[in-house]
Amino acid sequence: MKFDAQNALSRRLRLIADIDAEDEAAVRALPVTHREVDDGVDIVTEGETVRQCCILIDGFTCRYRHTLEGKRQIIAFHVPGDIPDLHSLHINQMDHSFAAMTRCRIGFVPHEAVWSLCLKRPNVAAALWLETLIDGAIFREWIVGLGRLSGASRTAHLLCELAMRIRSVGLAPDNVYRLPLTQNELADALGLTVVTVNRVLRDFKLAGLIDRSRSRLEIKDWNRLAELGEFDPKYLHFRSPIATTGIARQ
Amino acid sequence: MKFDAQNALSRRLRLIADIDAEDEAAVRALPVTHREVDDGVDIVTEGETVRQCCILIDGFTCRYRHTLEGKRQIIAFHVPGDIPDLHSLHINQMDHSFAAMTRCRIGFVPHEAVWSLCLKRPNVAAALWLETLIDGAIFREWIVGLGRLSGASRTAHLLCELAMRIRSVGLAPDNVYRLPLTQNELADALGLTVVTVNRVLRDFKLAGLIDRSRSRLEIKDWNRLAELGEFDPKYLHFRSPIATTGIARQ
DNA sequence: CGCCGGTTTGACCCGCGTCAAGTTGGGTGG
DNA sequence: CCACCCAACTTGACGCGGGTCAAACCGGCG
């Protein structure tokens, strides 16, 4: 039952907003096409005009752009429950690409269906709008990091953010996460190079902050990592207090 | 007549969206309190809970945050017609501050009034949502710059962006703008230091790209500046083709 | 006239990029 | 079941873009 877009979506909306049973029923009535997408595939490409929104049900995706020199900057990561291109509802020409970083299960909902849902259920419209605003809040957080924090702090921040977001969708029983990102991908999100990311992660491991092997990440000292990354989860705007307290014990 | 929030707002909405006469009338009926704010004053402070939105009518403002070390990162600049804290409609605890960079004239609209306007006029709701999405698109653009472009490119990009946004609200008859930003403020937006910004601007002047004195900026070679900054105004999502072509001749 | 915020310039330094050369380990085919 | 491959990871040597520190300079304003 977790592997279905309507469920993922209504669960997400409950996480961030106040929606009632009728709203939820309307969400569950959305027409959705499900699709599996392979690791590394572009789901939407920069410049494309889209007529549907994606709901990420399972797997990890990112949004990115390339500079003229061919350097890649990852703009956002997405975990199950996210609606990575909800903004396309109003801006349907994509100004960046959107790709699967693992094998993913994705639900597609036509824009018109979302439109009419918004007209019928203002609460849902508000919740969806809020979802795009949280997206924006995360962008702001990244801007501050990229502009004013050291490579190590940015890395710490990102690890905390991802941990918290993964945790908020119930995918992390304890402080161990599945984080299927290569160091290259981390570097492209952090505005660093692989070499630097590698050294930062090595230092974190030596300092006893994390433990990482392949796609497994264990945060061994949440408090120190969060402090180093100046991480305060308020900007994620989860309503549940559980989701916004430290990882400590749950 | 330009100096009134209802006008500024309906004008902005027409710039980005399709609103009809009735929508516009509803916008003009919004209750607005006008206020003058001095240069340098914080209009909203991080952590504050707000119950109203601001419409910038005249002057320049920015949004910013400080790191724990006290470094400042400017997250966004705003020109007349912008609604800098529209996101507060759904996220009313501010995760950053919002300050006047010149003496400003600002209109305040209570959230409830915006809410009921959105319920009555779905087109206006869509336009306002779009406005917040464009805000987000600008954030993405800044992320790419901060992560992957050189200091000089970022600076060029920012100058182009501000020129285009100022121009879109009709405040620039030719290629000369009033840009009342200190080099310090530019540096805080660009993730650089004053020293570097100063050198970049000196080089731009020597290369014949710009001419700048005090709060006056002249872009002498739009094409080269835009190329250097990898600037493509698509992300600003203006509907008017005039606003999205190069500065060249209008 | 003198103050002061903003600008300009020089000298030096460091975080991170660049280049290059391994190493490791999961997946594949023989 | 082993040999090989290749993507991801790791480490070292070195250089550069931009930060830091410090000292003028400039011009508007009280």
Side-chain angles (χ1 to χ4, degrees):
Chain A
M1 88 139 201
K2 190 198 290 174
F3 296 92
D4 152 300
Q6 291 89 343
N7 259 297
L9 186 52
S10 64
R11 183 181 181 144
R12 159 59 48 103
L13 297 186
R14 277 199 315 270
L15 181 65
I16 59 171
D18 229 333
I19 63 167
D20 63 30
E22 263 185 89
D23 292 328
E24 201 169 325
V27 167
R28 282 175 193 281
L30 279 172
V32 182
T33 316
H34 288 92
R35 211 173 92 201
E36 297 267 333
V37 176
D38 265 342
D39 183 11
V41 169
D42 269 14
I43 299 159
V44 181
T45 309
E46 185 177 343
E48 211 173 298
T49 301
V50 298
R51 304 258 169 251
Q52 54 192 7
C53 290
C54 301
I55 298 161
L56 182 55
I57 302 166
D58 194 40
F60 285 79
T61 66
C62 70
R63 293 188 278 160
Y64 68 90
R65 268 192 36 210
H66 286 280
T67 66
L68 293 181
E69 296 188 277
K71 290 180 184 170
R72 180 171 72 155
Q73 176 67 39
I74 291 177
I75 290 159
F77 288 120
H78 292 286
V79 302
D82 285 352
I83 316 167
D85 62 352
L86 184 51
H87 54 92
S88 70
L89 197 60
H90 293 88
I91 302 179
N92 52 29
Q93 175 143 350
M94 293 288 287
D95 54 28
H96 56 272
S97 302
F98 166 44
M101 307 178 75
T102 62
R103 185 165 179 77
C104 289
R105 186 164 171 70
I106 295 179
F108 294 88
V109 186
H111 281 169
E112 313 91 70
V114 183
W115 276 120
S116 60
L117 173 63
C118 285
L119 286 173
K120 268 185 306 208
R121 314 291 322 167
N123 276 342
V124 175
L128 290 175
W129 189 347
L130 174 58
E131 169 78 12
T132 63
L133 292 174
I134 293 174
D135 211 47
I138 296 174
F139 293 152
R140 288 196 289 273
E141 197 74 13
W142 284 34
I143 287 174
V144 174
L146 286 165
R148 291 299 184 213
L149 298 184
S150 69
S153 290
R154 255 134 69 199
T155 309
H157 189 103
L158 181 59
L159 294 179
C160 289
E161 178 185 307
L162 289 173
M164 186 127 284
R165 288 170 62 193
I166 291 169
R167 196 157 168 271
S168 77
V169 288
L171 292 177
D174 45 19
N175 296 340
V176 181
Y177 309 88
R178 181 157 171 275
L179 192 74
L181 307 183
T182 66
Q183 296 184 359
N184 233 310
E185 290 163 334
L186 285 173
D188 283 347
L190 293 166
L192 298 171
T193 59
V194 215
V195 178
T196 306
V197 168
N198 183 277
R199 285 174 179 142
V200 167
L201 292 178
R202 190 229 303 141
D203 294 345
F204 283 1
K205 182 177 275 188
L206 288 177
L209 296 178
I210 65 167
D211 195 49
R212 204 183 103 98
S213 53
R214 294 260 129 211
S215 64
R216 179 186 158 282
L217 172 72
E218 178 178 356
I219 295 184
K220 306 192 86 160
D221 192 335
W222 174 268
N223 291 335
R224 276 206 295 151
L225 194 67
E227 189 183 9
L228 177 60
E230 303 197 5
F231 180 75
D232 175 350
K234 270 206 295 286
Y235 72 98
L236 294 170
H237 296 281
F238 294 137
R239 298 171 69 238
S240 149
I242 300 143
T244 58
T245 34
I247 285 300
R249 69 219 78 255
Q250 64 169 17
Chain B
M1 87 136 203
K2 192 199 285 174
F3 296 92
D4 151 301
Q6 290 90 343
N7 259 298
L9 184 54
S10 66
R11 183 181 181 147
R12 160 59 48 103
L13 297 185
R14 277 201 313 272
L15 181 66
I16 59 171
D18 230 333
I19 62 167
D20 63 29
E22 265 185 86
D23 292 328
E24 203 170 323
V27 167
R28 283 176 193 281
L30 278 173
V32 183
T33 316
H34 288 92
R35 210 172 93 202
E36 296 268 334
V37 176
D38 265 343
D39 184 10
V41 170
D42 270 16
I43 299 159
V44 182
T45 310
E46 186 176 343
E48 212 174 297
T49 301
V50 298
R51 305 259 169 249
Q52 55 191 7
C53 291
C54 302
I55 297 161
L56 182 55
I57 302 165
D58 193 40
F60 285 79
T61 65
C62 71
R63 294 188 277 160
Y64 68 90
R65 266 192 37 208
H66 286 279
T67 65
L68 293 182
E69 296 187 278
K71 291 180 184 169
R72 181 171 72 156
Q73 175 67 40
I74 290 177
I75 291 159
F77 288 119
H78 291 286
V79 302
D82 285 352
I83 316 167
D85 62 351
L86 183 50
H87 54 91
S88 70
L89 198 61
H90 293 88
I91 302 179
N92 51 30
Q93 173 142 353
M94 294 287 288
D95 53 27
H96 56 273
S97 302
F98 166 45
M101 307 178 74
T102 63
R103 185 165 178 77
C104 290
R105 186 163 170 70
I106 295 180
F108 294 89
V109 186
H111 282 170
E112 312 91 69
V114 182
W115 276 120
S116 61
L117 174 63
C118 285
L119 285 174
K120 270 187 304 212
R121 313 292 322 167
N123 276 343
V124 175
L128 291 175
W129 188 349
L130 174 57
E131 169 78 10
T132 64
L133 292 173
I134 293 174
D135 210 47
I138 295 173
F139 292 152
R140 288 196 289 273
E141 199 74 12
W142 283 35
I143 287 175
V144 174
L146 286 166
R148 292 298 184 215
L149 298 184
S150 69
S153 292
R154 256 135 69 197
T155 309
H157 188 103
L158 181 59
L159 294 179
C160 290
E161 179 187 307
L162 289 173
M164 186 127 285
R165 288 171 62 194
I166 291 169
R167 197 158 168 270
S168 77
V169 288
L171 292 178
D174 45 19
N175 295 340
V176 181
Y177 309 89
R178 181 156 174 273
L179 192 74
L181 306 183
T182 65
Q183 294 183 3
N184 232 310
E185 290 163 334
L186 284 172
D188 283 346
L190 293 166
L192 297 171
T193 59
V194 215
V195 177
T196 306
V197 168
N198 183 277
R199 284 173 179 145
V200 167
L201 292 178
R202 189 230 303 143
D203 295 345
F204 283 1
K205 181 176 276 187
L206 288 177
L209 297 177
I210 65 167
D211 195 46
R212 204 183 104 98
S213 52
R214 294 258 129 213
S215 62
R216 178 187 160 281
L217 171 73
E218 178 178 357
I219 295 182
K220 306 192 86 161
D221 192 334
W222 174 269
N223 290 336
R224 275 205 295 150
L225 193 68
E227 189 182 9
L228 177 59
E230 304 197 3
F231 180 76
D232 175 349
K234 271 207 296 285
Y235 71 99
L236 294 171
H237 296 281
F238 295 136
R239 296 170 71 238
S240 148
I242 299 143
T244 58
T245 33
I247 285 299
R249 69 219 76 254
Q250 63 170 15

